């Protein structure tokens, strides 16, 4: 299925931020790229973009993006973009879409999560010759500018009226449509009656009972129209990073809130997730070296550095998600570096404890702590898989003992000057948890 | 599809080994259980077994097996088993099979790998009203008793003649058929002409051009008729364990040949794979304790014990494969215990080196060796996955540096009294190989 994206407008309310609104960067990624990537994630494999303002720049950007994504992105120009409503832009792409049974339609300034696009694609086909609109019935949605948004009134899954300032209303136009080519005729009929906007055409279709609605309640979408909306969208994208499964208590309460702030700041830079992983590893290495120096000052500073490394370590995944830079290799590379970092930190602590006297206990506890930590990582996949199966139906996987707690304990041990005690605590916790996992994963029925 | 298994005969040439041939244990598992489990692995979900000699014992065993496998196993008794050919046994099960479009037919004393059964199931349907026979064209197959086997002559994929002592011939009857109910009529027609054997009926069908052939060349099958054949079958099952992918050089040349001998001996006992894993771990623990005692004698003895543990560690997987006791948990449990065993052995060596003087080098090298060993295991899945993709099409995954080499080096270090040197070698090898894997797994094209 093709996806038509309207990107002709000037976006005058955001002109201080960028010459072209589709190319305006939100957390390091242009709006139009976010729209296209989200749709591609939902399964769309071909795009048609209507350009207008700053046509050459937008077209050049899309040419590069099509190459990077290895997906065809066609453009159609609307020469009347300056003095016409958005319905005219849709008609400018008519020749590229009239052969389709149906096509997706959205705007370059409407962000939405792939699940919302997926819901529209999975919905019943649009009424014959009509359109299907994703409607957000959550009237209190804080991301919506209630004065500026296009309102919708529904009767069951039919749209009965649509327009700005509509009263009464029971939902918002999310800007995502599944259209039949019948839309083109409706646009012409509406234009003849003096309204050449998309909303006008949908109002005509609503009168003919040919405008359906799909509920978008609870899914993320956001119309980026002005500075305030831009800020809301940025904040929403950042807060969505908190929802990561598996986040342990230290991560949830301490690391994640701080790493999100760092990620917001890093997003605008060209720094890649793998570079962040390496930087975090370097911080851990430095912390481990400080541990081995001896003396309380170096030990405590190393502890703080280790915790900082753990915080920065959250940013690689966050930047990867914010900027569509995630990869299998990236996640694995980060995990491998984390294992080395853990081993180095615990070795540093062991070395410190050994130098301060108590060689045998230091060696024994240090060894047990390193082994237990590795075992916890080694058994994580199997344990997570089992937990997912056992908890399928529930919303997510419950918390598991992991790296956030381990590094936090190392930091505590360093700052409180109790390296030996904390090695013992880590050794005990990590190995007991490993044994518990083996016990949990054991076959429940006797094998034949 | 149902599978008919003939198990009525007495097996008089093997009567010294067991009262009932179907219940005769080969490497700890009764022949009939092997036949049923192999067919179940190939996808068969329902069985019909014709009993005769020792009917109550065989039926009772099959009732228990059906419960263990959670698969229906029906029985049909052939009261004339003592003075009739095997065609009579097939007719005894006629009432259970006449509704089927087609069914599989084999014998309780014919072992074959699931891939052979799968090949017959995937082959073209049998000729209308006829049968399809898996024919082994490998005339030099060392598992075949050339005097006793039923010979086959083919014209392309049609059987033209079948019988013992047939000349000329170009293949062997493997005892695996895909039949239509037309076989029952052929058995009756053949019996009228004085031959009530299955081969006789197939010869009749061959005359009518209704006996097809599927090539079984290169796949394992074996007719267990006498002491010599039993020995050949046992040896073949054991040698098939050698083919395990990933086996490193130490495993191939030293561990596997010895572990197979131990497994042959263990197969008849009720010892489970998980018990073997635990026993191997206990040996490693003992070896590590010996390392920490100090003195060359304990060190060398520990080294030998470590290598013995590594050899025994091959038996859990071998017994699991030989006795159909493999499980996801078993493989994982073994891997988790191996990681603890590795850590303990390296820690013991570190402790020994530290006591002998050279505390700092021992601590550093010991830590690096333990970390590198863990990292090698931690990165194995990803690396193997990549290698499988890169080498798909080739026969198997190439050798990778693994536990067999690690434990062999530990043994060498102990026996040669060079603990510090060997810790350094292990540290270097394992960490360099980890870095190489990261390099190999890196994305080959620049991420967008």
């Amino acid at each position: 299925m093709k996806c038509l994206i309207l990107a002709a407008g000037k976006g005058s309310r955001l002109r201080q931020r960028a010459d072209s609104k589709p190319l305006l960067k939100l957390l390091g990624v242009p709006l139009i790229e976010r729209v296209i990537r989200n749709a591609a994630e939902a399964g769309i494999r071909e795009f048609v973009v209507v350009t207008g303002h700053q046509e050459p720049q937008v077209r050049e950007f899309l040419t590069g993006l099509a190459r990077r994504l290895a997906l065809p992105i066609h453009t159609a120009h609307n020469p009347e973009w300056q003095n016409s409503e958005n319905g005219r832009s849709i008609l400018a792409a008519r020749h590229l879409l009239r052969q389709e049974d149906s096509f997706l339609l959205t705007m370059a300034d409407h962000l939405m999560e792939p699940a919302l696009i997926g819901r529209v694609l999975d919905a019943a086909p649009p009424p014959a010759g009509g359109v299907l609109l994703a409607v957000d019935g959550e009237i209190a949605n804080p991301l919506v500018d209630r004065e500026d948004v296009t309102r919708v009134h529904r009767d069951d899954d039919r749209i009965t009226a649509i327009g700005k300032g509509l009263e009464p209303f029971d939902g918002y136009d999310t800007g995502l449509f599944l259209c039949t080519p019948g839309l083109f005729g409706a646009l012409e009929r509406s234009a003849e009656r003096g309204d050449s906007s998309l909303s006008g055409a949908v109002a005509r279709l609503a009168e003919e009972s040919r405008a359906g609605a799909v509920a978008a309640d609870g899914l993320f979408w956001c119309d980026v129209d002005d500075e305030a909306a831009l800020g809301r969208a940025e904040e929403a994208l950042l807060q969505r990073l908190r929802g990561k499964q598996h986040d342990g208590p230290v991560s949830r309460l301490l690391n994640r809130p701080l790493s999100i702030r760092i990620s917001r700041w890093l997003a605008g830079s060209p720094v890649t997730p793998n570079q962040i992983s390496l930087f975090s590893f370097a911080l851990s290495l430095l912390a481990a070296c400080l541990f081995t120096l001896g003396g309380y000052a170096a030990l405590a500073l190393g502890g703080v550095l280790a915790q900082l490394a753990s915080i920065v370590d959250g940013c690689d995944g966050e930047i990867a998600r914010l900027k569509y830079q995630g990869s299998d290799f990236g996640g694995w590379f980060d995990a491998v570096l984390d294992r080395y970092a853990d081993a180095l930190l615990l070795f540093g602590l062991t070395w410190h404890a050994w130098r301060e006297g108590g060689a045998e206990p230091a060696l024994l506890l240090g060894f047990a702590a390193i082994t237990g930590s590795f075992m916890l990582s080694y058994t994580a996949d199997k344990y997570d898989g089992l937990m997912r199966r056992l908890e399928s139906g529930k919303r997510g996987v419950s918390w598991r003992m992991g790296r956030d707690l381990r590094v936090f304990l190392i930091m505590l041990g360093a700052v409180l000057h109790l390296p030996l005690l904390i090695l013992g605590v880590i050794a005990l916790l990590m190995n007991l948890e490993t044994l518990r996992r083996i016990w949990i994963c054991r076959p429940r029925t006797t094998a034949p």
Side-chain angles (χ1 to χ4, degrees), chain A residues 33-150:
Chain A
E33 180 171 344
R34 288 193 175 274
V35 171
I36 289 176
R37 281 189 184 265
N38 289 344
E41 246 175 69
I44 299 293
R45 287 286 161 270
E46 192 166 355
F47 294 87
V48 176
V49 178
V50 181
T51 57
H53 178 62
Q54 298 264 4
E55 191 268 343
Q57 291 87 332
V58 173
R59 192 155 42 80
E60 192 192 335
F61 175 80
L62 291 174
T63 306
L65 183 63
R67 201 167 43 235
R68 281 188 284 145
L69 298 181
L71 290 177
I73 304 179
H74 316 283
T75 54
H77 186 57
N78 173 11
E80 297 164 50
W81 63 270
Q82 242 170 330
N83 34 35
S84 70
E85 298 260 22
N86 57 358
R88 180 69 193 78
S89 287
I90 297 173
L91 289 171
R94 185 180 195 164
H95 61 290
L96 293 168
L97 293 161
R98 78 178 107 206
Q99 307 285 333
E100 307 294 314
D101 283 339
S102 61
F103 58 91
L104 215 59
L105 165 62
T106 187
M107 328 291 150
D109 54 1
H110 278 61
L111 298 182
M112 51 195 70
E113 64 180 305
L116 173 49
I117 301 168
R119 191 179 286 182
V120 170
L121 292 176
D122 290 345
V131 297
L132 200 62
L133 169 60
V135 175
D136 185 0
E138 200 188 331
I139 302 302
N141 186 340
L143 292 172
V144 170
D145 178 346
R146 293 178 68 169
E147 295 317 305
D148 195 48
V149 69
T150 301

Side-chain angles (χ1 to χ4, degrees), chain A residues 153-439:
Chain A
H153 187 270
R154 288 171 293 179
D155 176 11
D156 207 4
D157 58 354
R158 290 275 151 134
I159 293 173
T160 52
I162 182 168
K164 294 201 181 191
L166 181 75
E167 287 288 355
F169 71 100
D170 63 5
Y172 304 125
D173 168 358
T174 64
L176 177 67
F177 297 83
L178 188 60
C179 307
T180 64
L183 173 66
F184 300 122
L187 283 164
E188 286 171 340
R189 291 197 301 281
S190 179
E192 281 163 18
R193 285 162 66 172
D195 184 351
S196 63
S197 71
L198 171 57
S199 291
V202 177
R204 291 298 86 72
L205 289 170
E207 286 167 11
E208 302 161 7
S209 276
R210 288 196 287 175
V214 188
D217 306 37
L219 296 172
F220 169 74
W221 71 278
C222 182
D223 176 5
V224 183
D225 250 350
D226 52 23
E227 287 284 344
L230 192 68
R232 282 197 302 268
E234 188 175 297
E235 196 55 35
L237 289 179
L238 288 167
Q239 291 310 320
R240 283 167 57 77
L241 298 171
R242 282 180 188 262
K244 209 187 157 198
Q245 291 182 346
H246 299 323
D247 267 7
V250 179
S251 184
R252 241 190 337 262
L253 299 173
L254 175 68
N255 299 358
R256 192 65 74 189
L258 293 173
S259 64
I260 285 178
R261 289 182 197 205
I262 302 174
S263 289
R264 178 205 296 264
W265 177 73
L266 283 175
S269 78
V271 168
T272 68
N274 288 345
Q275 288 166 347
I276 298 171
S277 301
L278 276 171
F279 180 71
S280 166
F281 174 73
L283 285 180
S284 292
L285 183 61
L286 189 59
C289 291
L290 284 171
F291 286 166
T292 61
L293 282 184
Y296 173 66
L299 182 69
L301 183 60
V304 173
L305 260 188
Q307 186 62 44
L308 181 62
S310 181
I311 292 166
V312 170
D313 189 42
C315 295
D316 46 14
E318 293 167 9
I319 290 292
R321 288 173 70 196
L322 283 177
K323 298 178 75 175
Y324 308 92
Q325 294 179 335
S327 70
D328 278 354
F329 174 79
W332 179 74
F333 182 63
D334 180 38
V336 169
L337 286 183
D338 283 353
R339 299 294 82 72
Y340 266 121
D342 288 350
L344 284 167
L345 289 173
L346 290 169
F347 177 69
L349 220 52
T350 304
W351 190 277
H352 187 99
W354 171 64
R355 279 294 176 86
E356 281 191 340
E360 276 95 348
L363 203 53
L364 260 174
L365 293 179
F367 159 77
I370 290 175
T371 302
S373 298
F374 265 120
M375 293 313 295
L376 217 57
S377 305
Y378 192 74
T379 54
D381 274 358
K382 175 94 174 174
Y383 178 72
D384 288 352
L386 182 76
M387 288 297 109
R388 259 194 300 274
R389 276 204 308 282
L390 292 182
E391 304 189 3
S392 69
K394 299 192 195 174
R395 263 194 76 208
V397 174
S398 59
W399 168 70
R400 66 171 161 80
M401 194 180 291
R403 184 163 200 255
D404 62 326
L405 182 66
R406 186 153 60 230
V407 178
F408 186 72
L409 287 174
I410 291 172
M411 186 272 283
L412 276 188
V415 169
L416 301 178
H417 203 176
L418 296 167
L420 207 55
L421 175 70
I422 224 73
L423 283 175
V425 169
I426 291 176
L428 201 68
L429 279 181
M430 304 287 144
N431 286 295
L432 281 182
E433 169 68 6
T434 301
L435 293 181
R436 191 185 72 86
R437 286 183 185 176
I438 295 175
W439 182 249

